[in-house]
Amino acid sequence: MPVESIEDPSIKIKPNKKLIEFICKNVKKTSSTPPVIIALKKSTKDKQKDILLKLDELKWLNKYLEEYRTTNMESIYLHELLEEDDIKLPTPKIIPRNPELEARTQKLKAQQDAIKYKAMTKNVDTATMKLPEDSISYQMKQINKQLIAVAQFVFSVLAGFAFGFIGVELIVGNLDFGFRLLLGIICALIIALAEIYFLAIKLNEDVYDTISTGSAPKKLHQE
């Protein structure tokens, strides 16, 4: 699914009870103390659970512990205080899909599953032993549709060329042969581009109609 860019890429850590107790008892408020550490000391137990530490606060705690070990002769390390802490990794926000697109996708998927089911069970169910798509008449009908669409495209392009090559001269008067040829090619190209667009839509509709006409799979037994 599509996702948005991450607004805050920083890694956050939810302090455990051991780390909170050490900060509240041993860390003193100074000018270099991060605001998050101060907020952790002043907050109540319920609010302390919602405070998250970033890497900058952990680096400051590591330096503070180095000084703490030299002055108090007590071996306390940062990794010991971070045991069993929860790490909050940055996650992108998921963009919800368009409901209309999702509904259309599910509909097409169900239709494709129905066609596959009919193809798998046609040798078992005598009612669907021969699908309409397998008959020669159906295949010929589809070929005729495609041939008619292509022939219509060719005739339209030729008609556009004839209009530019002959029709303009009949309206305006005598024109140079090269100019008439150029007009015919331009008219044919314009009509060809339009016809290609409508031809693509027509072919797509034929494929969609073929899928949508597939009936739902029949049950092989009565309930």
Side-chain angles (χ1 to χ4, degrees):
M1 296 185 69
V3 295
E4 295 181 354
S5 58
I6 299 175
E7 297 180 355
D8 187 7
S10 59
I11 299 175
K12 299 178 182 179
I13 295 177
K14 185 177 182 180
N16 56 16
K17 184 178 180 181
K18 185 178 181 180
L19 179 58
I20 293 174
E21 289 180 355
F22 176 81
I23 291 175
C24 294
K25 292 180 180 179
N26 300 308
V27 176
K28 297 179 181 180
K29 180 181 178 181
T30 60
S31 58
S32 62
T33 305
V36 178
I37 302 296
I38 298 174
L40 192 63
K41 288 175 61 68
K42 294 182 178 180
S43 300
T44 59
K45 291 184 178 180
D46 295 334
K47 293 183 178 180
Q48 285 176 348
K49 297 178 181 179
D50 299 330
I51 297 177
L52 300 176
L53 301 178
K54 296 183 180 180
L55 294 178
D56 294 337
E57 285 81 18
L58 296 180
K59 291 179 181 179
W60 183 89
L61 278 175
N62 188 38
K63 293 182 180 179
Y64 182 86
L65 287 172
E66 291 177 357
E67 298 177 357
Y68 182 84
R69 287 193 295 269
T70 56
T71 56
N72 295 275
M73 301 299 293
E74 188 176 357
S75 299
I76 299 178
Y77 295 90
L78 182 62
H79 70 274
E80 297 175 352
L81 298 176
L82 294 178
E83 290 179 352
E84 300 180 359
D85 279 351
D86 293 333
I87 299 176
K88 304 292 184 180
L89 298 176
T91 55
K93 184 179 179 181
I94 298 176
I95 303 175
R97 297 186 64 179
N98 189 340
E100 296 180 359
L101 176 62
E102 184 67 22
R104 182 178 175 84
T105 303
Q106 294 298 329
K107 183 179 179 180
L108 292 176
K109 183 179 179 181
Q111 291 171 351
Q112 290 287 352
D113 293 340
I115 293 174
K116 290 180 181 179
Y117 180 84
K118 287 172 60 179
M120 288 188 298
T121 59
K122 68 177 182 178
N123 293 329
V124 178
D125 189 0
T126 56
T128 59
M129 187 70 70
K130 292 184 178 180
L131 296 175
E133 293 83 355
D134 296 336
S135 62
I136 298 177
S137 61
Y138 179 85
Q139 299 295 336
M140 293 300 297
K141 187 182 295 183
Q142 294 298 320
I143 293 173
N144 289 335
K145 285 184 179 180
Q146 309 300 333
L147 292 177
I148 291 172
V150 174
Q152 183 180 356
F153 169 78
V154 174
F155 288 136
S156 298
V157 174
L158 292 176
F161 177 81
F163 173 77
F165 186 75
I166 301 174
V168 176
E169 185 182 24
L170 295 176
I171 297 172
V172 178
N174 293 330
L175 296 173
D176 183 66
F177 177 81
F179 184 69
R180 289 165 53 198
L181 182 62
L182 180 61
L183 285 176
I185 294 174
I186 292 174
C187 293
L189 287 177
I190 294 173
I191 294 177
L193 291 176
E195 285 293 331
I196 288 173
Y197 173 74
F198 290 111
L199 181 62
I201 294 178
K202 177 63 178 176
L203 295 178
N204 186 44
E205 288 178 353
D206 291 342
V207 174
Y208 182 74
D209 291 340
T210 302
I211 296 175
S212 60
T213 52
S215 59
K218 298 180 180 179
K219 292 183 179 179
L220 300 179
H221 62 86
Q222 294 182 352
E223 295 180 354

